[in-house]
Amino acid sequence: MREGRGEEIREDMKAGVREAAEKEKEAVKEVSGKLAENSDFTRGSIPKKLILFMLPVLGALVLQAMYGAVDLLVVGRYGSTAGLSGVSTGSQILNLITFMVSGSAMSITVLISRYLGEKRDSELGSLIGAATVIFVLISTALFVLMVFFAEPLATLMQAPAEAKQLTADYIRICGAGIFFIVAYNVIAAIYRGLGDSNSPLLFVGVACAINVVGDLLFVAVLGMNVAGAALATVLAQALSVLFSLVMLRKKQLSFRFRRSDFRLNEQSARILKIGFPLALQELLTQSSFVAICAFVNRLGLDASSGYGVASKLIGFIMLVPSALMQSLASFVSMNVGAGDEKRAEKAAVTGVWICEIVGVAVFFLVLRHGDLFSAVFTADSAVIAKSFAYLQGFAPEVLLTPVLFAFIGYYNGHEATV
């Protein structure tokens, strides 16, 4: 009788386990369904879905820009004027490289969104595998350039004599950690292609907090000046990448990775075809800012530092159209993949109006109160005056960029990056 009773108990336990497993599956299915609905851009309100997707992208871009801004702020307060010039000049090189990488990584976002729109999830493993190999090769080339040619880059930037070695130090240390900087941008592009713009915001938020603590420790406490600011940036990016990889492993994906996916395959040419013009676009745009920085550096330390402060503020201002461009690329690509060209066009027009409203407000703030924003980064009145003068000349641009960036995002979503 005891054996029969024991068998009955075991059966009841098995039935309980099966019931719990079924409930867990249903819960996972329900959550996955909600996530899929939120990341499906082919239906629902265009303004609502575009804004909800764009806001986390903007938040991530703002926090990512905080890396250089916090470096500049802490060095400006606890370092030297030469250090301020070194960070502002060195970060121009880092910005150029980062924007090129993030621009070319947008090809991953576009292709993932396109495959999801076409219901070709099986292609995603080989796509991400090929992209990983390509960007590892790019990282290696950038590592060699920034670590072994830091002094020539500082000379090319016309860094003031007092700040030349500090500029080279900043470039070299950031170059040593370029693998992490590239890896973050690739992982963020994957998430956004999957319709998830919240996770990259979380990753960069963690990294930004670490960077602030690192800057205060290395610069304010240990007095490492520019080297400490660069070291804090690299450490923050490394921990951000580690965190994002752990989260990616836990994410419910509709496809699987195989070891054989991580090679140059038939997807590589398509990635490069879309990504190369995007990288070239960023190279041309950022090169103009690098050239201006080199010209201004010849005007002296105050002008160099003032331009550096203005550049950081402009970087923040331009994040709104940049977020629109990235969001539209994914939004348009998914709708084009689903065969709904009309919805893609409506999304572009909606994006222009959303961004233009912000642009008008920013125009008046920068034109009238640019000196107050500049004062956040430095207490030097001469540097503030130079920064404000540049910002006043820049102000009209914020009214034009929403249209330009919206159409860039629209064409990128069509893979027409040339």
Side-chain angles (χ1 to χ4, degrees):
M1 284 182 66
R2 279 197 298 268
E3 285 182 9
R5 180 62 179 160
E7 186 65 29
E8 186 178 336
I9 291 172
R10 282 194 292 273
E11 287 300 322
D12 287 343
M13 288 176 65
K14 286 179 183 178
V17 169
R18 281 196 298 270
E19 186 179 349
E22 286 299 322
K23 285 182 180 178
E24 185 178 352
K25 282 182 182 178
E26 287 299 321
V28 169
K29 190 183 291 185
E30 185 179 348
V31 171
S32 300
K34 287 181 180 177
L35 289 173
E37 185 181 348
N38 290 335
S39 59
D40 184 0
F41 304 141
T42 60
R43 51 188 175 145
S45 168
I46 291 176
K48 180 182 176 182
K49 289 215 166 184
L50 186 57
I51 290 172
L52 288 176
F53 185 73
M54 180 180 162
L55 284 176
V57 174
L58 176 61
L61 290 175
V62 168
L63 291 176
Q64 197 169 17
M66 285 293 291
Y67 284 109
V70 170
D71 289 350
L72 201 68
L73 179 63
V74 174
V75 171
R77 295 290 178 182
Y78 301 101
S80 60
T81 303
L84 189 67
S85 176
V87 171
S88 66
T89 304
S91 63
Q92 287 288 338
I93 294 290
L94 185 62
N95 285 345
L96 185 151
I97 289 170
T98 301
F99 276 108
M100 283 180 63
V101 170
S102 63
S104 55
M106 203 185 299
S107 61
I108 304 171
T109 300
V110 169
L111 287 173
I112 290 175
S113 296
R114 177 64 62 86
Y115 287 150
L116 288 175
E118 295 173 349
K119 309 299 182 187
R120 294 166 60 191
D121 298 33
S122 58
E123 302 274 1
L124 297 181
S126 61
L127 168 67
I128 295 171
T132 301
V133 174
I134 289 171
F135 281 94
V136 165
L137 295 174
I138 291 172
S139 301
T140 304
L142 291 174
F143 173 85
V144 172
L145 175 67
M146 295 177 72
V147 171
F148 296 103
F149 296 93
E151 278 85 3
L153 287 171
T155 301
L156 181 66
M157 291 293 296
Q158 300 285 319
E162 307 95 318
K164 186 174 180 180
Q165 187 55 52
L166 295 173
T167 302
D169 291 344
Y170 189 87
I171 294 170
R172 183 177 291 109
I173 294 170
C174 289
I178 197 66
F179 289 96
F180 302 117
I181 294 171
V182 172
Y184 166 77
N185 283 282
V186 171
I187 293 168
I190 292 170
Y191 274 95
R192 287 171 188 147
L194 295 169
D196 178 2
S197 58
N198 290 307
S199 294
L201 173 61
L202 175 63
F203 306 148
V204 77
V206 170
C208 195
I210 295 168
N211 187 50
V212 171
V213 173
D215 272 332
L216 292 173
L217 174 63
F218 296 139
V219 181
V221 178
L222 300 180
M224 294 175 66
N225 205 10
V226 171
L231 188 60
T233 297
V234 170
L235 179 63
Q237 289 277 20
L239 293 175
S240 173
V241 168
L242 181 63
F243 179 52
S244 63
L245 287 173
V246 170
M247 292 290 289
L248 188 61
R249 284 180 62 88
K250 295 181 177 181
K251 191 175 177 67
Q252 293 287 332
L253 299 173
S254 59
F255 59 95
R256 290 286 177 268
F257 293 110
R258 297 185 300 272
R259 187 174 296 178
S260 59
D261 289 332
F262 293 88
R263 60 184 176 83
L264 296 175
N265 54 38
E266 64 279 359
Q267 303 274 13
S268 306
R270 198 172 182 188
I271 293 169
L272 292 172
K273 183 181 176 182
I274 298 171
F276 179 75
L278 292 172
L280 183 59
Q281 172 188 310
E282 294 295 346
L283 174 64
L284 294 172
T285 304
Q286 296 304 314
S287 291
S288 67
F289 292 115
V290 168
I292 293 170
C293 181
F295 296 147
V296 172
N297 281 343
R298 299 177 68 179
L299 301 177
L301 203 57
D302 288 341
S304 172
S305 299
Y307 173 74
V309 170
S311 293
K312 286 301 172 195
L313 290 169
I314 289 168
F316 281 107
I317 292 167
M318 297 299 285
L319 293 181
V320 175
S322 294
L324 171 66
M325 179 180 68
Q326 292 190 24
S327 303
L328 272 178
S330 183
F331 203 100
V332 169
S333 182
M334 190 175 292
N335 280 285
V336 170
D340 194 345
E341 185 63 48
K342 279 286 183 186
R343 186 175 171 85
E345 291 174 4
K346 287 179 182 177
V349 175
T350 302
V352 170
W353 283 111
I354 291 169
C355 204
E356 198 64 68
I357 291 169
V358 178
V360 171
V362 171
F363 170 77
F364 287 106
L365 279 173
V366 169
L367 198 62
R368 296 188 178 187
H369 305 293
D371 54 338
L372 298 180
F373 296 116
S374 300
V376 172
F377 291 93
T378 178
D380 190 319
S381 58
V383 173
I384 292 171
K386 296 290 185 183
S387 174
F388 187 28
Y390 189 87
L391 288 171
Q392 286 178 313
F394 161 80
E397 189 173 338
V398 300
L399 301 175
L400 303 174
T401 49
V403 179
L404 173 65
F405 278 53
F407 278 100
I408 291 173
Y410 175 76
Y411 283 113
N412 288 348
H414 283 81
E415 300 184 33
T417 52
V418 173

